[in-house]
Structures are given as C-alpha cells and as structure tokens.
Amino acid sequence: MSKILKYPLQRIESISDYLKINVVTYEAPGLGSSGAGGGFFQLPQGSQVNGPGATDRIIGTIFLPIPEGLSDLNRANWAGSNLNSLAGAAVNTIKDVGKDLSLDNLQKDLAGTLNAAGSTLAGAASKAIAGLDDKTRAVVSGAFVGSAVNLFGANVSLNDLTARTDGVILNPNLELLFKGVDLRDFTFSFELTPRSRAESQEIKSIINTFKRRMAPKTSISNASGGSKGIFIQSPDVFNIEFRRGGAKHPFLFSMKTCALTNIQVDYAGTGAYTTYEDSTPVKMRMSLSFRELNPIYAEDYSDDLSDGVGF
Amino acid sequence: MPEIITLADIKPLIGNLSRANYYEVKFGGLTAGLRQYLSARNVDGQFIGSDAGLMCYNASLPGSSLAKVEGSNFTGVVENFAHTRIFTPIQLEFYCDNEYKVLKFLEHWQEYITSGNGNGANYSSPYYNYRAKYPNDPADGYKANSTRIMKFENDYKRVMEYSFIGMFPLDMSSTPVRYGPNSELTRISCSFAYDRFIAGSIYSFDFVQGNFNNLSGIINDLTSGNASALLRRFTN
C-alpha cells in the first residue's frame, strides 16, 4: 500500500482545490517497435503516463495546496527559413537527378547511370536558365562571376554583387517553418507553515520524500541491472494533477508524467531563523521544478472541457 | 420624484436604534495546555470564560475588507473584482482588577506563545532564547477558537454574534500608570489577531436548529408564529 502525505493536514474537503502528486517508479521508454501499429516509436498519449500500468507503480501520494504563482507555458518551435528561387530550382533539379541515381540503377550500370544523371543535371540547368528573362539571366551569370572572384579571396556574395550592380537581391522567400517539439517546465512554490507537531512531521516527510525520490538510485533492482556501482538507476517520476474535491480540477491545466529537476527549500521563511519548540522552522518555502517526460501533441486534447483547459 | 414619508412611517425604524453599550465579550476555546499555563498563574477558567469578558469596557465589532483586482477590458472603464476577504485585528480595552488577573491573562497568554523553550529556572537567564509554541496543536496550541462578541439590546431578544477562529493576543499596549486622582483606573489595551470571524453563532446546537450564521431558524419561526415555515422545517 502506497504512503499518503498531506499538507495542510486539515482543510482538504469536497470543496477544496489542491494538488495531488503521485510518486511513480520510472519505467524506461524502451526502443519501441516497428510493428504494424505505426512508426518506430509510438507517440505517448495523454492517458499513457510513462508507459502503461503507471498506476500500479505508485509508491506514494502527496497532497499539497494549490501553489503560488500558478502558470503554464506551452511552446512550439518555429523558426524563419530562406529558400531563394535559384536554390528552389536547384532542389527540383537534384530531385530529378536523385531518381536516376537509385541504388538499383547504380548496381546494374554504374557508368551509364552517372552519365545519365550528369545529362539530367545539365539538361535541367539549361532548361532553368533558358526559362529566365534577360535581366535575370544577367544576374545569375553575375553569381558565377562572384564565385570566380571569390577564388581570389574577395569574399563577395551573390547578393553583394547584384545589390551593387542592379540594386536588387534574391528574394529569400522567408517563411516561418515548424522546427520541432519541446518539453514543458513547471515551477511550483509552496509556503509551509506547520500548525501542530503532527503537521511538522508531515512537512518533514514531504520534503524528505521529494528529495529522496528525485535522487538516482545506486542499487539496481530491475531485470536489466548489473553489478552495483556500474550503473545508476533513474529516479522516480511524478504524476501531478490539480483536483477539486474528489475529481479532477474543472479548470486548471493537466500535466504528463514529470521528472523533478530541482527542489529548493528556504528554512528561514520568516526572514530570520525562528522555530517552534521542537526546532521546526516557523515558516518554510519549498520550490519544486518539474519537467514533463513527453511533449504535448494535439491528440492529447479532447473536446470535453469538463477536465479543464487541457495540457 | 422622492417618496413622501411621514414621521409615523419612520418612527418604527428611527425609534428602535441599537445602543452601543449593550454587548458582551466571552473568551473561549483555549487549549488545555494554555489553560493550565494560565491557571498556574492564578488565572482560572471561570475568570477566562466570564470575568475577563466583563472587564472589557471598550470593544469593537470586527471589521473586514475585501482585496480586489482591477480589470480594464473596456476602454476607459476600470472594473473591480473582489477575491479575498481580509480580517483586521480587533482592539479590546479592559479595566484591570486589583488581583491583576486581566493583566496576567493577557501577559501570560502572550508569554505562552513564545514559551517553546519552557520557562523554568533558566527563564531569567541572560542567555535564554525564545521559541514559539505551535498555534493549532490540539493539546497545547496558543490559538483560541470560540471567543465571541455578542451585541444585543436591552430586551435581550435579538443577538448579533461574532465568533472568532484562531484568536490570540497580538499587540498588548504598554499600560500607563501614574500619580494622579485616586479615582483613575488602570486600563489595559490589547489587539487580537485571528484567522477569520463568522457573523452569527457557530454552535452545533444552533446549527441543528437552523439558527447559525444569523439564519432565521426554528426560534424565529416559533416567535413569529410562522406555522408553515415551522412545518416545512420538520417535513423537509
């Protein structure tokens, strides 16, 4: 049976909002499978938190109040990308050449295939240049002039030349393009003010649990483990959920399984070191930084808003 | 067009104003540890529960304010949104009896709060240092949970009750004593902090009767002869 820790000890009722953190044994994602189900890696969905069966791996549960300064930040990596017309034409030409240079063709007739590729390249280049008007052709020829001049260390770009001679540069066709996914970070801060001896013990256990569970383990317990000292095992991970009473919070955001990357505790929260009779500080401030193990995908969201704003 | 009102119209209202001098303060809800600490200093339970309140000659019904944030989604208009109720400390002033029980009550309650290191023989040591007692420990916490201020009138029929949760003496002013007329009384002033107050009784007895939190419960139904409301109370 997993252990339950709670702060504050009182005031978590059916009308209370609070944060529930399940401490879960980490399960390595593995290398996936290339079976009929899809790609090499299966993209983890919202319900799949650090592998199936995560609920069976719950070591303990910590209930905390809603943290101060609550916010989430979802990111998508987009960046500007250039592709001018000449480069675009070159891409198309090289794609044609690529068709000639297939592995089958090269195996059958190496010399013939290379000749054919060369012819395709020359033909495509001639076709591309022939399709240009006089002005553009003059600019393109300037590019080759620039390349020739660079042989003498001039360090002149095509745009430098065309800007000097004709007052134009190549249209870069700048466009914002998607570059990849990112992992979300969360930092939660809690004021801890023990009200009784029992609550003091609970706070001590909560801090101890976070510190212990975020630490890597030197004793390898799983099947892939080797001799002690050769490997260290991943720390435990955390399933975090905002709740209201016995249900998921109807508004706040959801999180996928997170790793705890930082814990900071200020034991002199009053501004000076002041304690209760058993040396428990009167006020502490605990700051937890989590990072999600998996990125967020559109499929993680549902149309049902009863579970809040989503991830 | 203003409403035309005669003296007869307003007489029931203006003629029944509340008098400020009818009130009662009752301290209660002190933990066993705190009561024991005070009792050892000759401040007994009877004094705490009854006499200390009677010695309070100047009290005030508690006030509170609401914290707000401003919104400016409409050009040129600032909207206000309340979000947190803020309870401000309450000031009570006491006459001091000639056994100094009021003084001891307040003085040693404050002393108790910072007596986490005990107050034995080393209490007078120059190297003594203070630690706090836990506020809400069920056995010996320093907060009191059922201190009440009751406002009533000379017919005792209606009561406006304020119940304080988590009360403790926060700021005890220095008490002036001086040579002067023999009739001058020693007066003690202390402000009390609390977590919150509730307007209306919070006793379980009143809760059962539907009279808590100033709800007009069974007693009002009986006194007003509202038979249907009374019947509903028992049939619902």
Side-chain angles (χ1 to χ4, degrees):
Chain A
M1 188 176 164
S2 63
K3 192 177 178 184
I4 292 175
L5 296 169
K6 193 164 74 164
Y7 173 82
L9 275 176
Q10 309 296 328
R11 290 194 190 174
I12 290 184
E13 298 156 2
S14 60
I15 52 167
S16 302
D17 291 1
Y18 58 94
L19 186 65
K20 180 182 176 185
I21 302 177
N22 280 332
V23 186
V24 181
T25 311
Y26 178 78
E27 185 172 276
L31 295 176
S33 69
S34 54
F40 191 70
F41 285 101
Q42 299 287 333
L43 294 180
Q45 299 301 308
S47 57
Q48 290 178 286
V49 281
N50 187 224
T55 49
D56 300 334
R57 294 183 278 114
I58 294 174
I59 301 162
T61 302
I62 299 170
F63 294 100
L64 289 170
I66 298 290
E68 306 157 33
L70 190 57
S71 67
D72 64 352
L73 174 67
N74 291 34
R75 282 189 297 260
N77 284 338
W78 292 73
S81 173
N82 296 336
L83 184 69
N84 64 45
S85 303
L86 296 180
V91 169
N92 284 330
T93 303
I94 289 167
K95 272 164 73 178
D96 291 341
V97 172
K99 285 175 194 164
D100 295 337
L101 288 174
S102 70
L103 204 55
D104 279 351
N105 290 345
L106 287 168
Q107 274 179 331
K108 283 177 197 160
D109 180 8
L110 181 64
T113 303
L114 289 175
N115 276 337
S119 301
T120 306
L121 189 61
S126 303
K127 204 168 126 187
I129 290 171
L132 300 175
D133 58 39
D134 292 345
K135 175 78 177 170
T136 311
R137 202 177 296 141
V139 170
V140 172
S141 65
F144 297 111
V145 172
S147 301
V149 171
N150 281 344
L151 290 174
F152 302 102
N155 196 21
V156 180
S157 72
L158 171 59
N159 276 342
D160 290 343
L161 272 181
T162 55
R164 275 182 183 276
T165 55
D166 299 292
V168 295
I169 60 165
L170 282 171
N171 180 359
N173 291 313
L174 174 63
E175 189 154 343
L176 191 68
L177 296 177
F178 180 61
K179 295 292 182 184
V181 292
D182 218 339
L183 297 169
R184 296 192 299 172
D185 295 302
F186 304 96
T187 298
F188 299 132
S189 281
F190 304 91
E191 272 188 4
L192 305 172
T193 47
R195 296 163 185 83
S196 61
R197 289 178 190 83
E199 204 163 81
S200 159
Q201 290 304 310
E202 200 79 355
I203 289 172
K204 203 193 295 184
S205 294
I206 287 170
I207 295 172
N208 175 276
T209 300
F210 279 124
K211 283 173 179 270
R212 179 190 292 194
R213 297 301 173 186
M214 75 172 292
K217 302 159 191 172
T218 56
S219 54
I220 307 294
S221 57
N222 64 8
S224 63
S227 302
K228 190 175 178 182
I230 296 179
F231 298 106
I232 52 173
Q233 193 164 24
S234 303
D236 296 317
V237 290
F238 302 84
N239 289 333
I240 308 170
E241 188 177 71
F242 293 105
R243 294 179 71 82
R244 179 189 160 119
K248 202 168 179 303
H249 196 285
F251 196 98
L252 293 176
F253 56 91
S254 305
M255 285 163 274
K256 291 189 173 180
T257 303
C258 290
L260 178 58
T261 55
N262 276 304
I263 174 171
Q264 184 180 14
V265 184
D266 175 7
Y267 298 97
T270 58
Y273 178 67
T274 51
T275 72
Y276 289 117
E277 56 206 72
D278 57 0
S279 294
T280 300
V282 171
K283 184 175 181 178
M284 290 161 272
R285 189 179 293 275
M286 178 175 69
S287 180
L288 305 172
S289 298
F290 291 99
R291 173 167 275 202
E292 276 179 331
L293 299 187
N294 298 112
I296 304 298
Y297 299 99
E299 289 74 15
D300 294 323
Y301 294 85
S302 78
D303 294 330
D304 179 14
L305 291 179
S306 60
D307 280 350
V309 297
F311 286 90
Chain B
M1 180 76 181
E3 188 184 356
I4 298 168
I5 299 170
T6 65
L7 192 60
D9 291 332
I10 62 169
K11 198 176 170 186
L13 187 66
I14 303 292
N16 289 304
L17 295 180
S18 169
R19 313 276 171 81
N21 58 343
Y22 290 103
Y23 70 91
E24 184 179 7
V25 176
K26 264 191 176 305
F27 288 96
L30 281 68
T31 58
L34 175 55
R35 276 188 277 115
Q36 198 178 356
Y37 190 89
L38 293 171
S39 177
R41 286 152 183 83
N42 207 24
V43 182
D44 52 90
Q46 163 70 24
F47 181 83
I48 296 167
S50 175
D51 300 350
L54 289 173
M55 297 294 267
C56 177
Y57 74 92
N58 191 2
S60 49
L61 303 180
S64 64
S65 61
L66 291 169
K68 68 174 176 71
V69 287
E70 293 179 348
S72 55
N73 297 142
F74 301 105
T75 308
V77 178
V78 177
E79 289 180 284
N80 291 307
F81 301 92
H83 57 87
T84 304
R85 194 170 176 189
I86 300 166
F87 298 98
T88 47
I90 188 172
Q91 185 84 19
L92 300 180
E93 292 179 1
F94 301 87
Y95 291 128
C96 185
D97 57 300
N98 62 7
E99 291 182 62
Y100 306 116
K101 282 189 177 179
V102 173
L103 206 49
K104 286 177 182 173
F105 171 54
L106 298 170
E107 185 65 52
H108 291 298
W109 189 351
Q110 276 204 324
E111 180 186 272
Y112 177 78
I113 292 169
T114 53
S115 68
N117 267 348
N119 63 345
N122 63 346
Y123 194 49
S124 56
S125 161
Y127 309 109
Y128 182 83
N129 56 76
Y130 291 96
R131 290 183 199 274
K133 299 285 285 186
Y134 281 104
N136 295 96
D137 206 281
D140 61 357
Y142 63 76
K143 286 186 175 178
N145 281 331
S146 58
T147 294
R148 295 177 292 156
I149 296 180
M150 283 164 286
K151 179 75 194 76
F152 53 90
E153 297 308 312
N154 56 0
D155 59 5
Y156 308 108
K157 281 185 177 170
R158 294 162 299 278
V159 178
M160 181 68 189
E161 183 173 326
Y162 292 91
S163 302
F164 296 88
I165 311 283
M167 193 183 207
F168 65 94
L170 179 71
D171 182 7
M172 192 173 152
S173 303
S174 50
T175 303
V177 286
R178 58 176 178 168
Y179 296 145
N182 199 32
S183 58
E184 199 167 343
L185 298 175
T186 307
R187 297 163 195 258
I188 302 158
S189 176
C190 184
S191 76
F192 288 81
Y194 53 91
D195 299 335
R196 62 196 175 100
F197 69 77
I198 297 161
S201 170
I202 56 169
Y203 281 103
S204 54
F205 175 74
D206 291 319
F207 189 87
V208 171
Q209 290 200 315
N211 295 321
F212 75 105
N213 192 211
N214 287 329
L215 287 170
S216 53
I218 190 168
I219 291 174
N220 277 4
D221 294 343
L222 281 169
T223 52
S224 63
N226 190 343
S228 59
L230 192 63
L231 189 65
R232 243 192 343 267
R233 198 170 288 285
F234 287 104
T235 51
N236 282 345

